Amino acid sequence: MGHCARVDGSCKRCEGDLPFDFTMAFQPIVDVSLARIVTHEALVRGINGESAWNVIAQVTDDLLYRFDQACRVKAIEMASALNMPTALSINFLPNAVYEPEACIQATLDVSRRVGWPMDRLIFEITETERVHDRQHLRNIIEAYRKMGFKTALDDFGNGYANLDLLTDLTPDKLKIDRELVMNCDHDTRRQALLNSIILLANELNMILIAEGVETRKEALWLARAGIARQQGFFYAKPAINSLGPDLTSRLLDLREEVCVGLEASSY
């Protein structure tokens, strides 16, 4: 791992304009047991609604660090402008962080400028980038925790976010990949895997979030199994320059149905 390029308060790797524009869309993460939205995830989009991959395809190796910092700054600025009342979750690139204390400065600066509380920031380790140095990533997680941030391991159970990462890493949250969530209401193999992950998370004191929830039946099964925090199109699609729809009524109805189902199963 190289050294941070920050000298006299500036960093040639992290600072400067990008040769393309982008924006952020926000998707809610709900807690069914609380019947409310608890977090919004910031997701990269093109300024005309282009996909994240369309934007990321323009990020060359020499722009990686600059892009990572720009995403953090834009997400916090937009969340503040929208008066977001929840926590904000931001994806980050481990290989774009040389020294956590130095490379977090732009995040700290924008948070102070807009008045965003540090304890309402969550950084997600994405599966799109293979972790080359686990000790370095472990250092990032521990440094962020000392600064008051939470961390999450994204897409757990698929790609690079596999079980063996937990031998070295201690994130606060695990986001279960859509591949395991899909059809969980009737697929017994997925149910067995999810139940095992629930036991694992309880032992390791980690919060689970189910990604890619697309049906009411999936949402109900997950909540009754013990995964109350959920994210997906069933609740809302990512919305550019918006926090999305009011989910209060849907979440109250869902929580009531979960409770009825749990009471019925206890007899």
Side-chain angles (χ1 to χ4, degrees), residues 17-63:
D17 295 330
L18 292 167
F20 57 86
D21 293 325
F22 70 94
T23 187
M24 289 288 177
F26 296 99
Q27 186 176 33
I29 298 173
V30 307
D31 188 315
V32 177
S33 65
L34 299 175
R36 64 181 178 86
I37 299 170
V38 292
T39 307
H40 284 83
E41 180 181 359
L43 299 161
V44 174
R45 292 292 185 270
I47 58 173
N48 295 312
E50 296 92 343
S51 71
W53 294 114
N54 185 280
V55 177
I56 293 171
Q58 303 176 69
V59 182
T60 57
D61 289 345
D62 61 321
L63 293 176

Side-chain angles (χ1 to χ4, degrees), residues 47-85:
I47 58 173
N48 295 312
E50 296 92 343
S51 71
W53 294 114
N54 185 280
V55 177
I56 293 171
Q58 303 176 69
V59 182
T60 57
D61 289 345
D62 61 321
L63 293 176
L64 180 65
Y65 314 100
R66 199 175 302 172
F67 178 68
D68 185 62
Q69 294 295 323
C71 286
R72 298 176 186 220
V73 171
K74 188 174 289 290
I76 294 170
E77 287 178 336
M78 291 181 66
S80 177
L82 290 169
N83 295 313
M84 183 182 291

Side-chain angles (χ1 to χ4, degrees), residues 20-193:
F20 57 86
D21 293 325
F22 70 94
T23 187
M24 289 288 177
F26 296 99
Q27 186 176 33
I29 298 173
V30 307
D31 188 315
V32 177
S33 65
L34 299 175
R36 64 181 178 86
I37 299 170
V38 292
T39 307
H40 284 83
E41 180 181 359
L43 299 161
V44 174
R45 292 292 185 270
I47 58 173
N48 295 312
E50 296 92 343
S51 71
W53 294 114
N54 185 280
V55 177
I56 293 171
Q58 303 176 69
V59 182
T60 57
D61 289 345
D62 61 321
L63 293 176
L64 180 65
Y65 314 100
R66 199 175 302 172
F67 178 68
D68 185 62
Q69 294 295 323
C71 286
R72 298 176 186 220
V73 171
K74 188 174 289 290
I76 294 170
E77 287 178 336
M78 291 181 66
S80 177
L82 290 169
N83 295 313
M84 183 182 291
T86 66
L88 171 63
S89 190
I90 305 172
N91 295 320
F92 85 96
L93 305 173
N95 290 340
V97 177
Y98 274 75
E99 297 177 7
E101 291 81 2
C103 294
I104 200 67
Q105 289 306 310
T107 304
L108 299 178
D109 291 344
V110 69
S111 296
R112 283 191 287 263
R113 174 162 54 82
V114 303
W116 189 269
M118 302 299 176
D119 60 358
R120 282 171 52 197
L121 282 178
I122 303 164
F123 289 102
E124 293 190 21
I125 307 160
T126 64
E127 70 91 21
T128 55
E129 181 183 24
R130 192 181 190 107
V131 177
H132 301 295
D133 185 344
R134 290 193 185 182
Q135 183 58 49
H136 175 61
L137 183 50
R138 181 176 179 177
N139 292 341
I140 294 173
I141 291 173
E142 291 177 352
Y144 281 7
R145 181 172 290 124
K146 289 179 181 178
M147 294 181 217
F149 305 132
K150 301 292 185 184
T151 57
L153 183 60
D154 197 17
D155 299 319
F156 183 72
N158 190 24
Y160 299 126
N162 288 313
L163 183 65
D164 65 307
L165 282 178
L166 298 183
T167 61
D168 299 307
L169 308 182
T170 57
D172 301 287
K173 307 172 192 290
L174 294 179
K175 299 190 73 176
I176 305 172
D177 188 77
R178 167 66 184 162
E179 185 61 34
L180 292 177
V181 171
M182 180 174 55
N183 301 323
C184 63
D185 55 295
H186 62 269
D187 187 321
T188 55
R189 293 181 67 85
R190 282 183 167 85
Q191 290 174 1
L193 291 168

Side-chain angles (χ1 to χ4, degrees), residues 209-227:
I209 301 168
E211 294 185 289
V213 179
E214 294 189 357
T215 70
R216 186 178 185 87
K217 289 183 178 180
E218 289 172 354
L220 287 169
W221 187 90
L222 290 162
R224 288 168 181 161
I227 306 176

